[in-house]
Amino acid sequence: MKTISVACKTVLLAMVAGSAAAASGTGAAATGLEQTVFSAVKDKLSGLFWRVGQQPLEEEVEEEVKEKEGYVPDWSQYEDETVLRFNWTTARERKAFVDATKTLVLDVWRVGKHSGDVRLHQARVPNLLRLLPKSLRRAESRRVMIADLEHAVHSTQPESREVVDFSTKSSMDIQTVSELFFSDFRSLESIYQWLDILEETFPEQVRTEVIGKTHEGRDIRVYHLYSSQRNVSGKKKTIVITGGTHAREWVSVSTVLYSLYTLLVHHGSRGNGAGGEDNILDKLDFLIVPVLNPDGYVYTWEHDRLWRKNRQDTGVPLCRGIDIDSSFPYHWKPSMGTPCSEGYAGQAALEAEEARAFTKYINATSERHQYFGYLDWHSYSQTILHPYGYSCKETPRDAENLLELAYGMARAIRWSSGKMYSVLPSCEDREYDPDDSEGGCALDYMYKMHAIWALQIKLRDTGNHGFLLPKKFIVPVGEEIFSALRYFCDFILNPEDESYGSN
C-alpha cells in the first residue's frame, strides 16, 4: 500500500511537471514568470488530488505500519532510482539545473558552485535532460554517483533495527558503553538513553533542558555543558552547536554526539584533561542540540531513510514537512517550489516548530550566555561555509578574521585526518542563483542576531556515498571534526594568538 501511494504521487507530479515543461517549450528551462505560474498550478492540483477521501493515504499507511511488529522500511520505494552529478562552468547552466529540478520536483542532494547532485528514478532522466541546455545534456557533463540507490540504502542500514537499550548499560564504564554506542548509527530512543547515562556520569557538568515540542509531540532537547569548578556568576562565553536539522544527515547527529562526549571525557573537570590547559569546559560553556529535527529523524528510521524535512502538516497531505533550515527569520522568503519540494520554507518565518522553539530559547537565554560561537553541522560535501547564505552581495562583518577561522578549521581537519575541506560563502552552496536573495537559514540568523563567529560545516563525503555514509566513518569523522572544534575554541579564547591549533 505504501509503494502504491509513492507511485501515485510520482505519477501525478510527473504529469503536472510534464505539462509545465510542454507549456514552456520543449527542451527549454522555464523562465522566472513561467516557473511561478507552474509552481502555483502544481500546488493547486496537488491539493485537489490529494485531499480526496476521509483520511490522507499517507496517514492510513502510517497507521498500518504502527500495527506491525519489528517493521522494516520498504526498500522498494528506492527501486530503479539513481543519483547523478551534473558539472557546469557557467552561472546560466547552474540556474538551468536548479530550475529544471524544481520544475520536476526532484530531490536535489547538493548544489555547489560547479556541480550539483540529484536523485531521481531512471525513467525520469530523459525528462530532466529535455529541460536542460544542450551543454548539460552531453554525456561528459554528468556522471553516476550512486547507480543503485535501493542497494545503497539497504547496505548502509544499522546491523539491527531494534532499539539498543542503553539504559540497561548504565553500570558499565562510560568509555566502554560509548565505544558500543559509536559503533553504529543509533535510533532517537537509544541516543536519549545514552545521553541520560552521560548526565548521570557527569551530573555537575551536564544539564538537559527541553526547549519545545515537535509537531508529533517529541521533546526537542538541548544539553548544557559547563565546568563545576568555575564561578557561575555573570555571562559566560558560550558556543552553540546544532545537528540533525535535516533528518537524513545521520552523520551530523553522530558527530555532534562525538564532540559532546569528547568534551566531557577528555576536556572536562573530571576528564583526562582535568586541572590542565586542556580543560575546555573550565573556559567555555556549550549549548548542544544533537537532534534539532526529532520527528524527521525517527521517520528516517521507520519509513524513509532519505526524508529531509520535519513532519509538519502543510495543507497537502502527501507533501508533509517544512525545511527547518529555511524557516529562520533573518531575510526569510517563501519558497518558489511546492510543499512537495525538499526546501519548502512554509508560509511564514518560524513556521517550522523546531526553528521557533530554538530561536525562542536562544533569545530567552541571551541574558545568561555570551554567545561567542555557533556551529551548525550538516552533510555532505566536506565544506566549511561562512555567512551569508541569503545573498553573495552581502559581506560579513570582520570578514578577514572569519575567513582565517574557517581556513584554520579546515587546516586542523587536514592535520588530523588528511581530508580536504573547502571554504565557501554559504550563498554559493544553496539551491538558487547566488545573486538572488533568499534567506531563512540558521547560520545567517545566529551570526546576525547572536553569535560573534558562526560557521556551517558540511561533513564527509564528497558524493560517493552522499547522505548514506557507512558506519565505519562515524569515529573518523567525529575525530577530525573535534580537531576543528578545538581550533574554533582556541580561536575564541585566544583571538590574537597565532599559535592556536598548532598542537
Side-chain angles (χ1 to χ4, degrees):
M1 191 171 184
K2 179 178 177 65
T3 304
I4 293 174
S5 70
V6 173
C8 289
K9 175 181 173 182
T10 301
V11 170
L12 176 60
L13 290 175
M15 290 171 59
V16 175
S19 299
S24 65
T26 303
T31 66
L33 177 60
E34 288 167 339
Q35 178 69 42
T36 302
V37 174
F38 299 152
S39 295
V41 170
K42 281 184 281 187
D43 279 336
K44 186 67 175 176
L45 287 179
S46 297
L48 289 174
F49 276 92
W50 289 336
R51 289 177 188 273
V52 176
Q54 295 288 324
Q55 185 183 36
L57 181 56
E58 185 175 4
E59 292 180 5
E60 294 176 359
V61 170
E62 289 182 4
E63 288 184 1
E64 280 189 6
V65 165
K66 290 175 183 177
E67 294 175 359
K68 296 181 180 179
E69 293 292 334
Y71 174 71
V72 176
D74 179 9
W75 309 124
S76 66
Q77 63 186 297
Y78 313 110
E79 186 177 0
D80 294 329
E81 289 194 344
T82 186
V83 178
L84 301 180
R85 171 165 295 177
F86 286 82
N87 299 293
W88 48 73
T89 56
T90 68
R92 185 185 70 85
E93 291 175 334
R94 184 187 194 276
K95 186 176 188 304
F97 172 83
V98 171
D99 289 346
T101 53
K102 282 186 177 180
T103 298
L104 295 175
V105 199
L106 297 178
D107 181 8
V108 176
W109 281 22
R110 185 190 65 86
V111 174
K113 188 173 183 178
H114 301 294
S115 64
D117 301 344
V118 60
R119 163 197 170 194
L120 73 170
H121 194 280
Q122 292 177 11
R124 301 190 71 191
V125 172
N127 297 335
L128 174 60
L129 295 178
R130 278 195 289 271
L131 292 177
L132 294 175
K134 184 182 296 185
S135 58
L136 291 183
R137 294 202 297 269
R138 299 190 185 103
E140 58 268 25
S141 295
R142 66 182 186 275
R143 68 185 180 98
V144 176
M145 300 302 292
I146 300 177
D148 185 346
L149 190 61
E150 181 181 8
H151 174 73
V153 171
H154 185 270
S155 64
T156 55
Q157 288 297 296
E159 287 186 6
S160 174
R161 298 200 61 83
E162 295 181 6
V163 174
V164 177
D165 188 356
F166 281 90
S167 65
T168 64
K169 305 181 186 301
S170 57
S171 61
M172 297 172 59
D173 175 79
I174 187 62
Q175 290 184 281
T176 303
V177 174
S178 298
E179 285 178 7
L180 172 63
F181 181 82
F182 289 114
S183 67
D184 209 339
F185 293 105
R186 300 299 174 189
S187 67
L188 185 69
E189 185 177 346
S190 293
I191 288 171
Y192 284 166
Q193 288 174 353
W194 177 76
L195 286 166
D196 288 344
I197 295 174
L198 278 184
E199 189 171 12
E200 292 171 6
T201 306
F202 302 95
E204 297 179 344
Q205 293 181 268
V206 186
R207 184 175 70 248
T208 306
E209 296 180 66
V210 176
I211 64 174
K213 294 284 187 179
T214 65
H215 178 72
E216 295 179 347
R218 294 183 176 88
D219 290 344
I220 305 169
R221 299 188 185 185
V222 62
Y223 293 85
H224 181 191
L225 273 58
Y226 54 95
S227 172
S228 60
Q229 307 300 317
R230 188 155 49 107
N231 186 350
V232 296
S233 62
K235 286 187 176 183
K236 311 171 190 67
K237 287 184 177 181
T238 301
I239 296 175
V240 180
I241 302 175
T242 52
T245 302
H246 295 138
R248 61 192 177 189
E249 297 170 12
W250 286 5
V251 73
S252 75
V253 175
S254 66
T255 303
V256 171
L257 294 169
Y258 192 89
S259 288
L260 185 154
Y261 168 75
T262 305
L263 283 167
L264 285 172
V265 173
H266 298 294
H267 299 275
S269 300
R270 291 178 52 194
N272 297 341
E277 290 296 319
D278 226 23
N279 191 353
I280 296 175
L281 293 185
D282 266 355
K283 305 162 188 173
L284 295 168
D285 274 9
F286 292 82
L287 294 175
I288 299 177
V289 184
V291 189
L292 187 58
N293 184 5
D295 288 352
Y297 188 76
V298 170
Y299 196 78
T300 62
W301 275 74
E302 297 180 351
H303 301 278
D304 180 0
R305 171 63 181 87
L306 295 172
W307 185 261
R308 183 177 191 261
K309 301 180 287 183
N310 70 9
R311 294 293 297 162
Q312 261 177 263
D313 293 329
T314 63
V316 181
L318 277 180
C319 293
R320 288 188 186 178
I322 297 171
D323 176 17
I324 297 171
D325 202 34
S326 296
S327 191
F328 286 86
Y330 185 67
H331 278 273
W332 179 89
K333 284 180 66 176
S335 297
M336 290 179 62
T338 73
C340 297
S341 66
E342 297 295 341
Y344 180 61
Q347 297 301 309
L350 296 180
E351 185 177 346
E353 295 176 23
E354 298 82 358
R356 186 164 63 248
F358 178 78
T359 55
K360 182 179 179 181
Y361 176 79
I362 293 296
N363 290 335
T365 56
S366 60
E367 292 299 316
R368 303 198 304 269
H369 297 281
Q370 200 171 6
Y371 291 121
F372 265 68
Y374 174 64
L375 293 170
D376 186 24
W377 290 337
H378 290 256
S379 70
Y380 59 93
S381 73
Q382 295 178 201
T383 307
I384 299 175
L385 302 173
H386 62 80
Y388 285 98
Y390 80 90
S391 175
C392 286
K393 298 175 182 177
E394 185 74 14
T395 302
R397 64 177 183 271
D398 205 4
E400 183 177 347
N401 286 332
L402 185 63
L403 283 171
E404 178 187 345
L405 172 58
Y407 279 108
M409 292 175 70
R411 187 168 59 251
I413 293 172
R414 188 169 67 251
W415 287 347
S416 170
S417 65
K419 292 297 178 181
M420 303 292 292
Y421 278 62
S422 58
V423 175
L424 290 173
S426 178
C427 61
E428 293 186 4
D429 191 73
R430 305 195 76 188
E431 298 171 24
Y432 57 87
D433 187 336
D435 292 328
D436 292 339
S437 176
E438 182 175 314
C441 68
L443 175 65
D444 287 1
Y445 170 76
M446 288 295 292
Y447 180 69
K448 184 66 175 181
M449 307 303 296
H450 292 286
I452 297 175
W453 309 102
L455 296 166
Q456 182 184 104
I457 303 182
K458 291 202 168 180
L459 309 169
R460 296 197 204 178
D461 58 4
T462 56
N464 290 330
H465 297 287
F467 300 118
L468 302 172
L469 201 67
K471 65 180 182 179
K472 67 180 181 180
F473 294 108
I474 292 174
V475 173
V477 173
E479 290 177 343
E480 71 189 21
I481 297 304
F482 188 80
S483 296
L485 172 59
R486 179 59 193 268
Y487 185 97
F488 189 82
C489 295
D490 288 344
F491 184 93
I492 287 174
L493 292 169
N494 308 292
E496 304 300 326
D497 185 358
E498 296 182 359
S499 66
Y500 46 68
S502 61
N503 295 327

